[in-house]
Every structure is written in C-alpha cells, then in structure tokens.
Amino acid sequence: MPLDEDVVAAIYRDHGTALRRFVLSCTADSFGADDVVQETILRVWQQAPEITGSLRSYLFRTARNIIIDNYRRVQRRPVEAAEQDLGDSSGAAERVDELLNRVLMEEALLRLSMEHREVLVALHYERFTVNEAAMRLNIPAGTVKSRSFYAVRALRTILDEMGVER
C-alpha cells in the first residue's frame, strides 16, 4: 500500500499534538516520543479501513500498546556483565500500566468542562464531602450533586471514545 502523504499529514495535523503530549507524559525521552508518535500514525494509517469508532481513541490505544511493547523489549534485553543489579523489576509492567491509566484519566479530565472537572476533582481526588465541595466551589450542594452526576456520565463517554476499557 503506497503511503498517502495527505492522509498521514491530516492525521498529524488533527491529532499529532495531543498524541505527542500523551506519549511525552509516559516517557521523558522526546526523541523516543517522536518515534512512538510516528509509528502510531503509520500503524493507524495502515489499519485505516478497518478502524471502527473514534480515530483519536484508536490512536491513543495504539500509542499505549507501542509504549508497552517498547518497555517490555527493553526489559527483555540481556543483562550486560558490567551492569549492576538495579533491583526488582517484577512490578515494573504494572507501574507502567498504572502510569498510562493515570495519563489517560488526566487527558479525559482535560476534555471535561471546567465546572464538571472542578466538581470531580473536589469529590474524588481531594476527597471533599458534597457540602465541603459546595463551600469550596461556592455553589449549592444540589448543584455539586447534579454536576457530579453529569460529569461522570461525560467522563465515561470520553473514556469510551479514547478506547479505555472499564
């Protein structure tokens, strides 16, 4: 299949910035992040006719898989004779998954309206009660409850679009 530069350029234009931000939040290596973004877009472009649902969620899911594959590849490499034991890495894959889930949640929260995000952060991250959140946000307790209800619904939709499985 020949490379359609216009399609690849359109994917970069529409999704490249968000995808690179997502990848950079998982790795501090900007060159590695660029490689992951390029590989992600090429893989998605190759699978384009088979993609159902949101292209952005497919991009994020593909990038996540590439990051995990790269991490596992590094972990499988043979240990050099001169290297020292760096400690137990048995839980490293779980930590990577945990980090990626946190990054996905942060990206999803950024897509919510400010009002919905503030309520969810107050209730679920800062662990305020409804009344404490109402006082902090300077809104009635009933408004906190209704915003929380609709914010959770919106967050579920966003996470579904991003390809996050429940």
Side-chain angles (χ1 to χ4, degrees):
M1 171 187 267
L3 182 64
D4 185 348
E5 292 179 17
D6 292 336
V7 172
V8 172
I11 294 172
Y12 265 112
R13 182 183 60 249
D14 296 343
H15 306 284
T17 302
L19 186 61
R20 187 168 194 283
R21 185 175 56 239
F22 167 71
V23 173
L24 276 172
S25 66
C26 300
T27 177
D29 177 16
S30 64
F31 294 114
D34 290 338
D35 290 344
V36 170
V37 170
Q38 289 174 3
E39 185 174 347
T40 299
I41 289 176
L42 286 176
R43 279 191 195 180
V44 169
W45 170 77
Q46 291 170 341
Q47 300 298 318
E50 300 168 14
I51 296 174
T52 57
S54 166
L55 177 62
R56 182 166 282 201
S57 65
Y58 194 81
L59 283 164
F60 277 84
R61 199 169 39 244
T62 302
R64 179 182 182 272
N65 292 340
I66 291 170
I67 291 167
I68 290 171
D69 290 346
N70 289 346
Y71 176 79
R72 289 179 178 156
R73 187 177 312 113
V74 168
Q75 295 305 308
R76 281 195 308 261
R77 102 181 143 82
V79 177
E80 303 278 330
E83 280 187 29
Q84 297 178 349
D85 183 25
L86 297 177
D88 181 30
S89 63
S90 62
E94 290 82 18
R95 288 191 299 273
V96 168
D97 279 343
E98 186 178 308
L99 172 65
L100 290 173
N101 286 335
R102 186 177 322 132
V103 168
L104 285 170
M105 184 57 74
E106 288 173 3
E107 179 72 26
L109 284 170
L110 288 173
R111 295 184 188 184
L112 288 174
S113 70
M114 186 176 63
E115 292 83 10
H116 285 163
R117 184 173 47 249
E118 286 176 339
V119 167
L120 287 183
V121 168
L123 294 175
H124 298 285
Y125 287 94
E126 296 174 341
R127 305 245 184 232
F128 288 140
T129 65
V130 170
N131 289 332
E132 291 169 338
M135 287 178 53
R136 180 176 181 269
L137 299 172
N138 200 25
I139 57 177
T143 303
V144 170
K145 290 178 184 179
S146 66
R147 282 187 188 171
S148 174
F149 174 79
Y150 289 109
V152 169
R153 285 180 59 187
L155 188 60
R156 284 185 183 142
T157 301
I158 290 167
L159 289 170
D160 287 344
E161 289 173 359
M162 292 174 68
V164 176
E165 297 175 8
R166 293 186 221 177

